[in-house]
Amino acid sequence: MTDFFRGIAPIRHEGPEATSEFAYRHYDPDEMVLGKRMEDHLRFAVAWWHSFAWPGTDPFGGQTFQRPWFGDTLADARMKADVAFELFEILGQPFFCFHDADIRPEGASFAETEANLMAIVDYIGQKMETSRTKLLWGTANLFSHRRFMAGAATNPDPEVFAWSAATVKSCMDATARLGGQNYVLWGGREGYETLLNTDLSREAEQAGRFLSMVVEYKHKIGFKGAILIEPKPQEPSKHQYDYDVATVYGFLKRFGLENEVKVNIEQGHAILAGHSFEHELALAASLGILGSIDMNRNDYQSGWDTDQFPDSVPEIARAYYEILRAGGFTTGGTNFDAKLRRQSLDPEDLVLAHVGAMDVCARALKAAAALLEDGRLEVARAARYAGWDAPENRAMLTSDLDAIHARVIAEGINPEPRSGRQERLENLWNRFV
Amino acid sequence: MTDFFRGIAPIRHEGPEATSEFAYRHYDPDEMVLGKRMEDHLRFAVAWWHSFAWPGTDPFGGQTFQRPWFGDTLADARMKADVAFELFEILGQPFFCFHDADIRPEGASFAETEANLMAIVDYIGQKMETSRTKLLWGTANLFSHRRFMAGAATNPDPEVFAWSAATVKSCMDATARLGGQNYVLWGGREGYETLLNTDLSREAEQAGRFLSMVVEYKHKIGFKGAILIEPKPQEPSKHQYDYDVATVYGFLKRFGLENEVKVNIEQGHAILAGHSFEHELALAASLGILGSIDMNRNDYQSGWDTDQFPDSVPEIARAYYEILRAGGFTTGGTNFDAKLRRQSLDPEDLVLAHVGAMDVCARALKAAAALLEDGRLEVARAARYAGWDAPENRAMLTSDLDAIHARVIAEGINPEPRSGRQERLENLWNRFV
Amino acid sequence: MTDFFRGIAPIRHEGPEATSEFAYRHYDPDEMVLGKRMEDHLRFAVAWWHSFAWPGTDPFGGQTFQRPWFGDTLADARMKADVAFELFEILGQPFFCFHDADIRPEGASFAETEANLMAIVDYIGQKMETSRTKLLWGTANLFSHRRFMAGAATNPDPEVFAWSAATVKSCMDATARLGGQNYVLWGGREGYETLLNTDLSREAEQAGRFLSMVVEYKHKIGFKGAILIEPKPQEPSKHQYDYDVATVYGFLKRFGLENEVKVNIEQGHAILAGHSFEHELALAASLGILGSIDMNRNDYQSGWDTDQFPDSVPEIARAYYEILRAGGFTTGGTNFDAKLRRQSLDPEDLVLAHVGAMDVCARALKAAAALLEDGRLEVARAARYAGWDAPENRAMLTSDLDAIHARVIAEGINPEPRSGRQERLENLWNRFV
Amino acid sequence: MTDFFRGIAPIRHEGPEATSEFAYRHYDPDEMVLGKRMEDHLRFAVAWWHSFAWPGTDPFGGQTFQRPWFGDTLADARMKADVAFELFEILGQPFFCFHDADIRPEGASFAETEANLMAIVDYIGQKMETSRTKLLWGTANLFSHRRFMAGAATNPDPEVFAWSAATVKSCMDATARLGGQNYVLWGGREGYETLLNTDLSREAEQAGRFLSMVVEYKHKIGFKGAILIEPKPQEPSKHQYDYDVATVYGFLKRFGLENEVKVNIEQGHAILAGHSFEHELALAASLGILGSIDMNRNDYQSGWDTDQFPDSVPEIARAYYEILRAGGFTTGGTNFDAKLRRQSLDPEDLVLAHVGAMDVCARALKAAAALLEDGRLEVARAARYAGWDAPENRAMLTSDLDAIHARVIAEGINPEPRSGRQERLENLWNRFV
């Protein structure tokens, strides 16, 4: 026991009227929602990097957090893992996520770095034997080290491509060894700073081939989890290739991977791409590529990735409504890819940020479920398209312009608009959130 | 002769030192650039709607322009056409573009509206016989009338789908009759105001089928021009389906249309989607779907479509550089989908806005061509990827993660970053613009 | 009776479990909140322009609403007033707001236009005698007509300045006659499209003098209401002078008007200026210029003024919390400067949009009041600054750099950061909203 | 000599046709522009922090630059100074700028830190004796260290206020000792992350008093330079108090400092606040508070501070046009607060980024000067306001609403709009840039 959390006891569900800060008011893992346990709907995960590795820096300021495990040794990495599992014990959430760079010290060579990774993976594996917290997904950090400054898979230097491929192999091995349910790729450096020195076509080919190798390796090692791409439009790069869900879909179609790869959608990245979170979720669902989510909000008015813990029940309810409509998560879950504000220095802040986030998600899930059960919204949506049920209308979809033109003339078609009833549907929403 | 332009004489190339406002300083149609006439590179088009139909309204203000042809009769429409060809005579540009709604009065029924369209098409056709100005593209306005408020192809009401299909048939017929080189679709209402009343999947199917019918009809009538989609992320809708080039590409792939349809890219729409214009051009070129451009700038800081005439040579040069690298236009061209500021009331303003725009485009084209001929930028770009020429590196693209991992270990690969030289390349640019 | 609303009965408070759409679930005018009736806290107003005059146009589309009173005659204007008071009867809200251009037809001259205004003011005045709905504020529309395209008070043409001054006199007279509690100025054209043709200094002098004359006239006629400026950063103009609260404050200070003029803050305008609504409210309160609010939300991701009815309880609660902290409204109130979505064609939409908005505001007010009564947030805020209570610290504010420097050296001051506890405070919030 | 620059010779003006990268094509210090040497117009300064101290980090990536002087010792700091003056020797620019944190190592206490500062100030002072490069301005870094995470002058902790005051005293002393021409304050942490824990009123009082003490100290020590505030809307904070020029002006007026303090305007900060650079310059000039500029561009589409070297002649010309109209710099100058892209690793990149920036500024200055000499733009601007020259119009500014109203009626005033001629003025611009 590290005593980092100074004896904070495991958080329990105590109901909305609980007086303590250290209680779940709404998150009750065993509460049944639409016939499934709440925990099995939400599938919460704690992110290793923000919670245990991020030092509190920003572009204008240095480290604010001073954690006893900050350092470059395996002993530091083990202490970090100890603290992580202590937090998991306190929160009781079912999952965590990691990048290789969060859990192991960098070595002087690829081999040493990989050995460090595997040593820590063993250590984490041992801790998992006595923990209820499992691995939602693993991933490789192919963006922080200076070697990736011009890209990983899309780097002009083939040696970086090689290093990246070897790293992903290690990370997929590590993820598989720890029973991970997904493997994620986020291409923070797969993009460009200036078109002047960039060959878009070449880099797309590299990226397509790289992703195909990842899929091939998944099958080779029998990894049963999903492969997920996490879209983001920019930051750190000026332009990132995995801009948004629609862009990733086009990329997957181009390389024939649309049945092999899904998306991990982050609220903050959706916002930065100019979309609402629910748009990205609904679109991914309609394209059959909805995988998992990062439930961390972005400030709408800060033009960078703020990675804040979620706090708005109405907004989160929109997201879970789309997820529930799509049938809920299979391998995916709700990862808090969220960092404390850099002024939130205390261990209590780390615990309570998660507690608050889990509670607002629980409220939102229940609201979304109630609305879905209520059914009126879906009835209203379907009614709007009901004209298409008429055979002569449905037939137009297999017709041609000439025939439809003739019909318009013959029947004197002259459509009269009908109300979209947006405010009334918003009122209906607000009965539930 | 309407005398709207009060005797302004045709504009001639008079060189950079010309004293008159009414002169081309840089646009010389016959000047050879990279072995081709400047006019044949740029392929300028005047847009009928902004130049002759737009009344100067904005969301907070009414009509500022008081043109003698504003009205709802065929006589008004003919006067508008007269003035248009008088402007073409003054400017001498090779092309124009139109929507059906710009050139004809709305009728009481589809049939009457179509008859009006065809009457005006005949009138325009006669004028074209004695004009050097040809039709770059035609399109249907499926967004202004209230019947389209909830979409055209993607409308929940099948009657609107029918009306839209019939309208596109008319407009394709009109475009073909006038010798148009392209047919464009812009889906300003193909999107949504709120997800609450929208079925994304259904609307995508409708849109896919609609576009397929357009392609089928093109082949049926033997139209030789290109079919083009114009991406735009939002405005008027909250979200539009043809968000950007990458999104359109994914849509085309999904419906198997990627070899049948290209894109018409507008600077302003690129900006609103969070991209640079040159990004959208380079991406479209690399995907093989670059068709044509709308060369009207958006204010970077106004979050709506400002449709201003272009004025920045360095920015425009970036665009033409990508177009030249891609081999230049085939059926496409440079359309000024630009409107006068609503305070620019005088006929002279309409003439001189085009003159200025053509001049900055000419300067930019020449700069881009000179840079391409210079060759240093392309040499620098290629050099950055030169490592991939080595067989052992190229071989990685047909290898697998295991093999590459083994190679990294065996060879102790540890890549060292090299400068991206962005500022030096920007300096090189600035020698030309 | 116009029967426009087809017999919709007055809306009553029926509690959260009401089944009808046509009920207030949360808005109960007589419910006591912090010792005051809810109606007297919220002071709701319906806006004449959006609710009765806006035709549903947007920059890409024409009129969607087809109201029987749309027209240019005094009879139309009277029917519009009839419908307005029918809506007020249904909603039971205490206030309305108007621009001159919303209520009267434009005449052929200033005199005729003013006569029209006064005729309608009489008509409205008569209706008010039997209505419980009073006038929150009046204002002049100095932006829609083409004469204002280059500004009103700041126009380069002194005749427009004259016209504007005369119009404001009429509108102040009309507001006073109807017992208005405030007079508002929104400078939609007081700004510029391009600096190239603009003299900032001159226009600021014109604006300063104009506002001073408004204040002088207020005193001359004994108008007891507040004079309010409504900040907005842009749209319709590229840049508007009344950019945000801080800018307006500087302007007032410059012309010595900071004790005479307050601000009317709109959520949507705050957002467009890059601020949160609560920021603008808190800032205005701290500067002593908080007057009134326009409670209509802007889409965070649409870069233009969307003027939607409010729908997010957590966001609105932030706003009312600042208003309650500042002591609540005096002459001000909550105006819904909101327009139906242009697809919301039905009379029911107009009623229910207001009902939903009033309900979310009521929920938000109660949440904010409960949090304020709870007191923990204010205790936490004060505690953060408690160090300043020590005399030696407070003394620094009347000291000088030398002395403080000496103290730092002498005492070896080396401050240690303390947690800002942001997430914990957000959790506290979420217990109330 | 450190040999960091590997023998790069001083850059000379070689004219537009120079073949070497290492030449000024346009910047010729002695060329006369509007009767003054070009160097004396532009007053270029190199920024110590970006050029010598920034490690190439971004929010997602670590250090990319590996400079031999990176370290925490006085010896490192001296080597950094050596390299800085070697760059100044190569560039020949007249000025540099610094923060305390850029030039000295942090000590264990305030006293030690200050001693380090003064040791390095001595060292720099000695180097300046044989250099032509002088100090444009000094400043204190009150944002990077964790002690400032919640503000400097506006910190809830009075000890941080004390530390900050003492630090500014040291930095003003250092600036004065090195003959600095200005002293700058940028309040990167003077703002908030959340209103929930912030007392706006209190923090404004602290800030007002702090700035007053700075002004008092300036007079006490006889510092002749200007005190400058650098506005920025956000980043690192969610909201910063010195949002933009208008906000700073209001703050200065509030605390009676408008004749004591001016602004240092950065292009990138203007952009982030929603303004054009030229807007902020023109506004500051019209308010009498234009001090100095940071000439580093922000990417218009990246929502964070990109601090790139300038590269667009047309945009820069807009800026210098406003500066020339305002009479040019007095104590101010053109500081390149610009950082290399983090991939630009080579010493040559650092040199050439400055060379390119100085050349585009020189071109822009000459274009702006030529346009000003040409005079047509100013004639057109003045003509637009010429109506105000008529005595009866000018008299309105000292009149009242009643009298103007009477005049409108009596004279039947009915203003007719005139063209704003924006495109024609843009064409005129484009003859010069």
Side-chain angles (χ1 to χ4, degrees), chain B residues 3 15 26 34 37 98 117 252 271 281 292 399 415:
Chain B
D3 199 37
H26 305 280
L34 294 179
R37 294 174 63 249
F98 75 88
L117 176 66
L252 296 177
I271 297 304
L281 295 167
S292 195
S399 179

Side-chain angles (χ1 to χ4, degrees), chain B residues 151-166:
Chain B
T154 63
N155 203 292
D157 181 350
E159 293 201 346
V160 181
F161 182 97
W163 182 288
S164 304

Side-chain angles (χ1 to χ4, degrees), chain A residues 379-400:
Chain A
V379 167
R381 191 194 314 258
R384 198 161 169 250
Y385 296 85
W388 284 100
D389 295 340
E392 68 275 19
N393 291 334
R394 180 137 288 279
M396 288 194 294
L397 296 179
T398 49
S399 179
D400 60 50

Side-chain angles (χ1 to χ4, degrees), chain A residues 110-188:
Chain A
F110 181 87
E112 186 181 323
T113 301
E114 187 176 48
N116 287 347
L117 177 67
M118 292 311 169
I120 285 295
V121 164
D122 283 345
Y123 188 74
I124 290 176
Q126 289 161 25
K127 300 190 80 74
M128 288 174 73
E129 287 173 14
T130 58
S131 169
R132 68 184 304 279
T133 299
K134 303 193 182 68
L135 178 61
L136 186 65
W137 45 265
T139 186
N141 176 328
L142 304 177
F143 48 90
S144 293
H145 194 280
R146 67 196 291 270
R147 73 173 67 84
F148 303 116
M149 71 181 196
T154 62
N155 203 292
D157 180 350
E159 292 202 345
V160 181
F161 181 98
W163 182 287
S164 304
T167 299
V168 169
K169 180 207 172 300
S170 302
C171 291
M172 290 179 74
D173 291 346
T175 300
R177 203 194 295 179
L178 293 175
Q181 304 204 7
N182 306 271
Y183 184 81
V184 169
L185 297 108
W186 175 59

Side-chain angles (χ1 to χ4, degrees), chain C residues 196 203 220 397 402 429, chain D residues 196 209 220 385 397 402 429:
Chain C
L196 294 180
E203 297 202 356
K220 178 172 179 181
L397 295 180
D402 264 333
W429 252 98
Chain D
L196 294 181
R209 185 58 202 132
K220 179 172 178 181
Y385 296 84
L397 295 180
D402 264 332
W429 251 98

Side-chain angles (χ1 to χ4, degrees), chain D residues 117-428:
Chain D
L117 177 66
M118 293 309 169
I120 285 296
V121 163
D122 284 345
Y123 189 74
I124 291 175
Q126 289 161 27
K127 301 190 78 77
M128 287 174 73
E129 288 172 16
T130 57
S131 169
R132 67 184 307 279
T133 299
K134 302 193 183 67
L135 178 60
L136 186 65
W137 47 264
T139 187
N141 175 330
L142 304 177
F143 48 90
S144 293
H145 194 280
R146 66 195 290 272
R147 73 173 66 87
F148 304 116
M149 70 181 196
T154 63
N155 203 294
D157 181 351
E159 294 203 344
V160 180
F161 181 98
W163 182 287
S164 304
T167 299
V168 169
K169 180 209 170 300
S170 303
C171 291
M172 290 178 76
D173 291 345
T175 299
R177 200 190 302 177
L178 293 175
Q181 305 203 7
N182 307 271
Y183 183 83
V184 169
L185 296 108
W186 174 61
R189 304 285 172 194
E190 313 294 20
Y192 60 79
E193 292 303 322
T194 176
L195 272 179
L196 294 181
N197 67 12
T198 302
D199 183 333
L200 280 185
S201 299
R202 199 158 194 157
E203 298 201 358
E205 291 294 336
Q206 291 177 210
R209 185 58 202 132
F210 192 95
L211 184 59
S212 299
M213 287 197 281
V214 169
V215 168
E216 290 156 14
Y217 189 69
K218 164 189 158 164
H219 292 301
K220 179 172 178 181
I221 64 174
F223 178 66
K224 297 300 176 205
I227 304 293
L228 305 176
I229 285 185
E230 179 165 331
K232 188 179 180 186
Q234 60 170 9
E235 206 207 13
S237 300
K238 157 69 181 158
H239 177 93
Q240 276 156 235
Y241 296 132
D242 301 328
Y243 200 81
D244 57 9
V245 168
T247 301
V248 170
Y249 175 76
F251 176 79
L252 295 177
K253 283 291 287 183
R254 181 174 172 191
F255 292 99
L257 296 167
E258 71 272 20
N259 297 321
E260 292 282 0
V261 179
K262 295 189 179 341
V263 284
N264 182 45
I265 303 174
E266 176 172 317
Q267 193 267 6
H269 298 177
I271 296 305
L272 288 171
H275 306 300
S276 67
F277 191 23
E278 58 266 26
H279 169 82
E280 290 289 82
L281 294 166
L283 179 61
S286 87
L287 295 169
I289 58 170
L290 176 56
S292 194
I293 66 171
D294 276 5
M295 181 56 92
N296 41 293
R297 86 178 192 270
N298 217 66
D299 187 294
Y300 282 101
Q301 300 184 300
S302 303
W304 63 92
D305 202 350
T306 62
D307 277 340
Q308 293 173 263
F309 283 91
D311 77 342
S312 169
V313 172
E315 291 196 14
I316 304 166
R318 293 276 182 122
Y320 281 118
Y321 190 79
E322 296 300 335
I323 291 165
L324 291 174
R325 275 184 81 210
F329 295 123
T330 53
T331 64
T334 300
N335 177 41
F336 295 118
D337 189 7
K339 56 192 184 200
L340 290 172
R341 298 306 84 197
R342 70 193 289 270
Q343 296 185 39
S344 299
L345 303 179
D346 298 341
E348 288 82 356
D349 294 318
L350 184 56
V351 172
L352 293 171
H354 283 92
V355 169
M358 292 161 76
D359 261 354
V360 289
C361 287
R363 286 174 65 189
L365 175 79
K366 288 189 281 189
L371 182 59
L372 203 59
E373 275 190 313
D374 175 84
R376 276 174 290 181
L377 185 63
E378 294 312 310
V379 167
R381 194 195 313 258
R384 197 160 170 251
Y385 296 84
W388 284 100
D389 295 339
E392 68 275 20
N393 291 333
R394 178 138 292 279
M396 287 195 292
L397 295 180
T398 52
S399 181
D400 59 50
L401 294 191
D402 264 332
I404 297 174
H405 179 266
R407 181 184 173 211
V408 169
I409 301 278
E411 299 182 16
I413 285 178
N414 199 347
E416 187 58 24
R418 282 170 303 164
S419 173
R421 297 194 164 194
Q422 180 166 336
E423 294 83 1
R424 296 173 82 159
L425 298 176
E426 289 169 350
N427 288 357
L428 177 60

Side-chain angles (χ1 to χ4, degrees), chain A residues 29 33 55 125 181 191 296 310 318 361 422:
Chain A
V33 176
Q181 304 204 7
N296 42 294
R318 292 277 181 123
C361 287
Q422 181 166 336

